[in-house]
Amino acid sequence: MRPFVNEPEFDVVIIGSGIAGALAAYRLATAKKKVLILEAGGVAPESLGRWTMVQNFITSSSKAPDSPFCGEDVLPVDSKIDSKKQPPLYRFVQPNAVNGDNYYFYADPPNPTNPNRFKSYYERLVGGSTWHWQGIYVRMLPNDFRMHELYGIGVNWPISYRDVERWYVDAEYEMGVAGSDEENDAYYERLFHAYRSKPYPMPALVRSYLDKQIAVAIDGVALSDFPKQRLKVNTVPHAINSREYKDRPACEGNTSCLPLCPIKARYEAIIHIEKALKAGAILRSQCVVTKLELDDNKKSVKRVVYRRWDGDEDWVSGRIVVLAANGIENPRILLYSGAGNSSDAVGRYLMDHPIKQSYALAPKPLFPFRGPQTTSDIAVFRDGPFRRDFAGFKTSLKNDGWSSVAATITAPRGASIPPQHPDTPNAIGTVLDFVENQKLFGANLKKTVHDHATEENGA
Amino acid sequence: MARIYQLRSESPEEFFLRRQFLGQLAATGAVLSVWPALAETTEEGWDDGDPLCRVPYTELAAPEGYELDEALLKSFIGLSEALTGVKPLDKNLAGELMDRYARHKQLSASLKKLIDTYQSIAPGDTQPSDAALKQSFFPDAPSSDDAKNLTDAAKQLIYLWYVSAFYLMIPDSNPPTKAWVYGTPEQYRRALLWSVIQAHAPMTPGGQPGHWAFAPKV
């Protein structure tokens, strides 16, 4: 490694090129600061209408969220795998369902009978995990910041909704968020005091046929345990264009927001990486930051040490260092560097993406598998006195049937052959199930597949 | 919201075991394929990654022992229409899919047997009865390994048309694992499944912006 030079090369070194790093890099580069972006991952192939990524997805067996980004120059290959002998194989050096070695645990030390693994993962790519996000964009509610004060749960934030509101607006205009001002006024502001100081940059995505049918069935209904809460189907804000916005087109309903919008109607951080580079920022990809080297009084970062994929080590220095490497990598870097942990909270309180998925068949066709994967939700249980007892939640209505409600189903084609289930013939509803277990073919197969898929309803 | 299926959550232990299994699959080049008991279908780690970009397979230069001629294509289309229930099928697409089937190393020999059987119940490409089709391709009690293999071959033909992929054992996978083996993007887009369910293949255009607000016209 070359010797340290006591003269910062950059005004700002940003570690991580995901949504936080990208927006910071863009603002700083636009303000004529000398900006370096360090990114652990590689560059996703992106030309000719995303041809390569679309092809990767289509030819992939699993159609998993990271399928579009296959390739050795994009994702690090596990060193134990000989990529020459097994070119299509790669493994993540990150917490991934596939690689048990790199899992994160809530409990420390891990309890062998209850491992409590962190179940989400991220894309180690230039542009980060918004490469595979669905684009659902939802603000926190004012009461989310005051959980302890209101409900005796958790801790209060040191900032309030009022403090962040203008920054929400800034982010929404940068990204391009489609949402309904009328619904916000009539619902979020009235029910949850979630006011907006500026209207949404564009109207909400058009509600699906399915949403409208469900709204007819449930709007105004109260559940017996919660007589005060009335169900209501509202559109859900998305960072997906409902009209042309900042040179990107309106959504055309390719129904693949997750993992990739082939026409760029969905916002991704890569858009601001491109803008940042145009404004003069510099990008170094495939550079994994291993450590922040601190000065003697431990108050500032002397240099940022990183390793390239070929194993070479190098470093860089900046007047300001921004950690934007996500909720797992930021603590990893800080802990490894012995930095910024006077609170002893670094690396604790990791929040996963807890979800419960439900699915049912409707009594009449809802025609899913069309449009953006979600256009509406039910938000009434996002806040209320019940949060003393259980967490608030929202219910997304899925426009893609049973395709993502359980990995073992993966409608309509199926992911694997389920065991026989003669008593519940509609419980799976995939082509694999109908053909393998129910031995359907011909007109009967066609009708059964049609009737099942068009009535699928997921949330 | 008539029929709701009750799911139970996967216990952490099962989750752990499943992940170990997936790790092994990744190491052997397989893709996820594990079924917990059905009545107790599980909550899943919903964003499992893709351990495998695609399944590699060898394509023969030409099928062994038969020619891909016009007569074969005619029977291929007749058989395909009978098994998929979709009629008429596109002749150009049929030609491509027949080529894929015939030149797939694991499947090539099966196609000849499928066509021979079909011709025996549909002489001169007449329309075979459902009973004859069932007896030949999906018998309730297959009498021999040959009969079972024929059923498997018929299923692959259905998958090829409906999904644009074969559903095949990955060579050398341990434990033995099946995965979808796709062809070209055009074939993916034209897979029958999507028109049958009045929708479109994900990541391909579905129509005009906002078309999802209404029931499909066809």
Side-chain angles (χ1 to χ4, degrees):
Chain A
M1 208 165 32
R2 63 202 158 87
F4 177 66
V5 183
N6 193 13
E7 194 165 311
E9 192 179 347
F10 291 92
D11 292 323
V12 186
V13 173
I14 298 176
I15 303 171
S17 67
I19 184 127
L23 288 168
Y26 166 68
R27 281 278 168 107
L28 290 162
T30 309
K32 305 285 179 224
K33 300 294 174 198
K34 200 177 171 198
V35 174
L36 174 73
I37 306 161
L38 281 175
E39 167 56 51
V43 177
E46 163 128 74
S47 66
L48 196 59
R50 306 192 151 182
W51 175 266
T52 305
M53 288 189 283
V54 171
Q55 188 132 337
N56 281 343
F57 172 80
I58 285 173
T59 51
S60 119
S61 290
S62 67
K63 309 267 180 284
D66 51 355
S67 299
F69 320 113
C70 273
E72 281 176 53
D73 54 337
V74 176
L75 296 162
V77 175
D78 191 293
S79 58
K80 282 173 271 183
I81 291 171
D82 181 343
S83 60
K84 298 280 181 298
K85 283 187 190 151
Q86 296 170 283
L89 245 192
Y90 68 86
R91 291 172 76 184
F92 298 80
V93 187
Q94 65 156 336
N96 183 285
V98 180
N99 187 338
D101 296 341
N102 291 320
Y103 255 92
Y104 291 78
F105 295 88
Y106 295 133
D108 185 22
N111 173 347
T113 57
N114 182 7
N116 243 349
R117 284 157 180 256
F118 183 79
K119 292 181 185 177
S120 299
Y121 70 95
Y122 48 89
E123 299 296 345
R124 201 173 228 193
L125 285 174
V126 173
S129 298
T130 47
W131 269 117
H132 81 202
W133 79 322
Q134 202 189 314
I136 291 182
Y137 171 91
V138 182
R139 288 182 176 193
M140 284 172 69
L141 301 177
N143 284 356
D144 293 342
F145 296 85
R146 304 162 58 206
M147 286 296 289
H148 193 267
E149 172 195 339
L150 293 168
Y151 306 123
I153 297 284
V155 290
N156 289 339
W157 287 54
I159 51 174
S160 68
Y161 183 85
R162 189 169 292 276
D163 295 321
V164 293
E165 204 280 334
R166 63 167 283 222
W167 301 105
Y168 274 138
V169 169
D170 271 16
E172 287 156 6
Y173 277 76
E174 281 299 339
M175 297 159 71
V177 172
S180 164
D181 293 316
E182 296 73 28
E183 284 176 349
N184 199 81
D185 291 350
Y187 197 77
Y188 288 90
E189 183 154 4
R190 191 176 62 78
L191 234 65
F192 304 128
H193 311 293
Y195 71 92
R196 298 183 57 84
S197 58
K198 268 193 176 177
Y200 282 108
M202 61 189 114
L205 290 172
V206 174
R207 296 206 296 173
S208 67
Y209 178 79
L210 177 148
D211 295 338
K212 292 190 267 188
Q213 306 310 307
I214 292 179
V216 167
I218 68 168
D219 271 1
V221 170
L223 304 180
S224 53
D225 290 345
F226 300 92
K228 284 186 186 155
Q229 275 89 0
R230 300 278 162 174
L231 301 181
K232 171 87 170 72
V233 176
N234 279 317
T235 58
V236 62
H238 279 79
I240 293 179
N241 286 353
S242 61
R243 61 168 172 82
E244 195 180 319
Y245 186 82
K246 298 202 174 179
D247 299 327
R248 291 184 295 114
C251 168
E252 292 173 0
N254 284 254
T255 325
S256 61
C257 320
L258 190 171
L260 181 76
C261 176
I263 64 166
K264 288 196 190 182
R266 178 193 70 179
Y267 173 80
E268 299 136 10
I270 199 72
I271 287 157
H272 276 95
I273 292 293
E274 284 170 6
K275 289 183 181 182
L277 298 189
K278 218 175 265 178
I282 291 171
L283 168 70
R284 291 183 196 165
S285 66
Q286 301 182 331
C287 294
V288 183
V289 171
T290 51
K291 181 172 190 183
L292 308 175
E293 209 175 278
L294 305 181
D295 65 5
D296 293 340
N297 61 19
K298 304 261 177 204
K299 290 285 184 203
S300 60
V301 177
K302 206 164 129 190
R303 57 182 168 182
V304 177
V305 181
Y306 60 87
R307 194 172 286 180
R308 296 179 192 278
W309 286 9
D310 61 9
D312 270 8
E313 206 165 68
D314 206 342
W315 58 269
V316 68
S317 58
R319 283 175 226 286
I320 295 173
V321 174
V322 176
L323 268 177
N326 84 37
I328 287 173
E329 296 291 339
N330 280 347
R332 195 261 302 164
I333 293 167
L334 286 172
L335 291 171
Y336 197 71
S337 312
N341 195 16
S342 58
S343 64
D344 195 34
V346 173
R348 304 187 195 279
Y349 311 112
L350 177 64
M351 189 71 186
D352 205 339
H353 192 164
I355 55 172
K356 175 195 173 294
Q357 292 174 309
S358 310
Y359 46 108
L361 289 178
K364 61 177 186 177
L366 298 176
F367 302 110
F369 301 102
R370 303 182 313 136
Q373 287 161 331
T374 300
T375 35
S376 293
D377 70 5
I378 301 164
V380 68
F381 290 107
R382 283 192 63 189
D383 190 42
F386 58 84
R387 292 176 90 179
R388 290 181 182 281
D389 305 311
F390 60 88
F393 63 93
K394 69 194 275 294
T395 304
S396 277
L397 303 180
K398 299 285 291 172
N399 286 330
D400 54 359
W402 293 6
S403 67
S404 60
V405 287
T408 41
I409 289 186
T410 318
R413 57 170 193 166
S416 51
I417 302 169
Q420 294 281 347
H421 52 100
D423 298 337
T424 52
N426 288 319
I428 303 296
T430 60
V431 171
L432 272 183
D433 182 43
F434 290 139
V435 172
E436 298 283 341
N437 287 327
Q438 305 186 32
K439 295 195 165 157
L440 302 185
F441 68 91
N444 195 10
L445 173 68
K446 183 185 167 197
K447 184 179 184 328
T448 310
V449 167
H450 169 270
D451 291 354
H452 197 287
T454 54
E455 291 176 6
E456 285 179 15
N457 176 14
Chain B
M1 294 351 87
R3 290 149 277 178
I4 298 186
Y5 299 107
Q6 188 62 45
L7 300 187
R8 89 174 155 75
S9 285
E10 191 172 32
S11 80
E13 200 173 2
E14 282 169 334
F15 186 79
F16 186 69
L17 288 171
R18 196 172 75 83
R19 287 296 144 92
Q20 278 188 326
F21 175 71
L22 286 171
Q24 288 161 12
L25 288 190
T28 57
V31 75
L32 63 102
S33 156
V34 55
W35 265 96
L38 184 75
E40 314 138 355
T41 301
T42 67
E43 170 271 329
E44 290 290 320
W46 65 295
D47 51 1
D48 286 340
D50 188 354
L52 184 69
C53 287
R54 62 190 61 87
V55 182
Y57 69 92
T58 355
E59 208 163 53
L60 304 170
E64 253 182 60
Y66 61 100
E67 293 286 322
L68 298 180
D69 54 20
E70 216 171 308
L72 193 82
L73 180 60
K74 199 172 174 208
S75 292
F76 180 84
I77 292 172
L79 171 63
S80 297
E81 287 174 347
L83 291 182
T84 59
V86 179
K87 198 175 174 178
L89 292 171
D90 182 276
K91 286 190 180 126
N92 282 298
L93 180 58
E96 282 185 31
L97 297 183
M98 180 175 77
D99 187 76
R100 255 178 84 193
Y101 203 128
R103 288 170 60 203
H104 193 288
K105 205 175 165 189
Q106 281 168 267
L107 298 170
S108 185
S110 308
L111 182 65
K112 183 76 174 76
K113 287 178 189 154
L114 272 180
I115 301 275
D116 286 348
T117 307
Y118 174 71
Q119 285 169 343
S120 73
I121 58 168
D125 288 307
T126 50
Q127 177 109 20
S129 71
D130 273 3
L133 286 165
K134 182 165 168 53
Q135 183 55 34
S136 300
F137 299 112
F138 291 94
D140 287 332
S143 53
S144 62
D145 281 354
D146 276 357
K148 274 187 206 151
N149 291 340
L150 203 59
T151 301
D152 285 343
K155 289 174 183 170
Q156 294 300 339
L157 187 61
I158 293 175
Y159 299 148
L160 184 58
W161 278 103
Y162 267 73
V163 184
S164 83
F166 298 115
Y167 189 67
L168 289 174
M169 196 62 78
I170 298 170
D172 307 323
S173 56
N174 182 27
T177 305
K178 287 186 169 182
W180 292 106
V181 183
Y182 282 87
T184 67
E186 293 118 276
Q187 291 166 3
Y188 166 79
R189 184 170 170 168
R190 298 175 70 187
L192 293 183
L193 182 50
W194 306 110
S195 54
V196 162
I197 69 171
Q198 298 173 274
H200 64 95
M203 215 175 280
T204 69
Q208 294 297 310
H211 67 269
W212 54 87
F214 307 98
K217 289 193 188 83
V218 278

